[in-house]
Amino acid sequence: MAQDRPGEPSVDRPDLVPPSAGEPTASDLIGQALGGAAKRAGLDPTDDATTGHVVWRAMGGWRGIGESVLPGLVFVVLYTVTGQDLVLSLVASVGLAAVFTIIRLVQRSPVAAAFGGLIATGAAAALALFTGRGVDNFVPGLITNAAYGTGLLVSALIGWSLIGVAAGFLMNEGTAWRADRRKRRVFFWLTIAWAALFFARLAVQLPLYLTDQTAALGTLKLIMGLPLFAPMVAVTWLAVRALYPPRAASTEEAAAERP
């Protein structure tokens, strides 16, 4: 769906009218899934929190950073210093991810993120062991970047920006944001920015994979991970909060709760 150009007057468009209440639509289900994930990550725009605190929660604090960074870092370091000992590097990496998961289980902490990291690390290690190529340890990440980037880009181009779908669920307005030209424009560009992040990772890392540069690929994956994720979260948070000021958000929630 074509986006309104800046300065173009807003017009009523029947295709942007929110659907009537009834069976949940595909956009409702996607919004619930994305919005639920955002809430669990601490990205609820209705929260009264500073941007720094929101970004810190989204990264999972020190524990989340460790779970995201250390298994990959251990693999790169051991693979380099041991003269490309693939088995030792993979065992240490997967073992560390398993330790993080066990610690969460013992402490009865939420284990979804740790389990996800363990499964991803284990699957990547299994592929690398099967092929005998250390660089194949990064194939799942390349596929993920391609899939996320493509999904976000397509959603923006067809007028259903995934950032907007998630925000609509969090703000209890469903798909009503699509009838607001300003919100559509902001969500369009936010979604494009996120897609660009995933495609940038792919553009930098894929040539290293194709040329079998395992250590360089692992290092750049770490550099282009949380260091790029954090500022994108901050920009997204600030933009959504600008669209939904706290007072306005409270009013919308109160209206949604009325019978």
Side-chain angles (χ1 to χ4, degrees), residues 148-159:
Y148 284 0
T150 300
L152 286 161
L153 178 61
V154 170
S155 75
L157 294 179
I158 66 175

Side-chain angles (χ1 to χ4, degrees), residues 65-258:
I65 293 173
E67 292 171 348
S68 299
V69 173
L70 289 181
L73 180 62
V74 165
F75 172 81
V76 171
V77 171
L78 286 179
Y79 190 80
T80 301
V81 302
T82 60
Q84 303 183 359
D85 187 329
L86 181 60
V87 174
L88 175 62
S89 303
L90 291 173
V91 168
S93 177
V94 175
L96 185 56
V99 168
F100 283 133
T101 303
I102 293 171
I103 291 174
R104 282 188 176 268
L105 288 172
V106 171
Q107 297 180 342
R108 296 183 179 180
S109 302
V111 297
F115 263 127
L118 176 60
I119 292 173
T121 303
L127 177 61
L129 286 174
F130 177 77
T131 63
R133 301 173 67 236
V135 74
D136 285 334
N137 188 46
F138 303 101
V139 167
L142 296 173
I143 295 174
T144 298
N145 284 322
Y148 284 0
T150 300
L152 286 161
L153 178 61
V154 170
S155 75
L157 294 179
I158 66 175
W160 285 89
S161 303
L162 289 178
I163 302 297
V165 173
F169 171 80
L170 289 172
M171 303 310 299
N172 295 314
E173 70 168 1
T175 58
W177 58 272
R178 299 185 70 243
D180 185 316
R181 182 172 62 86
R182 178 169 175 254
K183 289 179 181 177
R184 287 203 317 275
R185 184 172 63 248
V186 171
F187 290 143
F188 171 81
W189 287 112
L190 283 175
T191 305
I192 289 294
W194 276 102
L197 170 62
F198 290 111
F199 284 133
R201 289 174 175 172
L202 190 64
V204 171
Q205 296 171 20
L206 184 57
L208 296 176
Y209 170 78
L210 295 176
T211 53
D212 203 22
Q213 299 185 53
T214 303
L217 176 54
T219 301
L220 278 174
K221 182 180 179 180
L222 293 172
I223 293 173
M224 301 185 76
L226 287 179
L228 296 185
F229 171 79
M232 281 299 302
V233 169
V235 169
T236 303
W237 167 263
L238 291 172
V240 174
R241 285 299 296 268
L243 290 174
Y244 299 96
R247 182 176 299 178
S250 300
T251 302
E252 291 177 7
E253 288 182 354
E257 292 174 358
R258 294 194 194 106

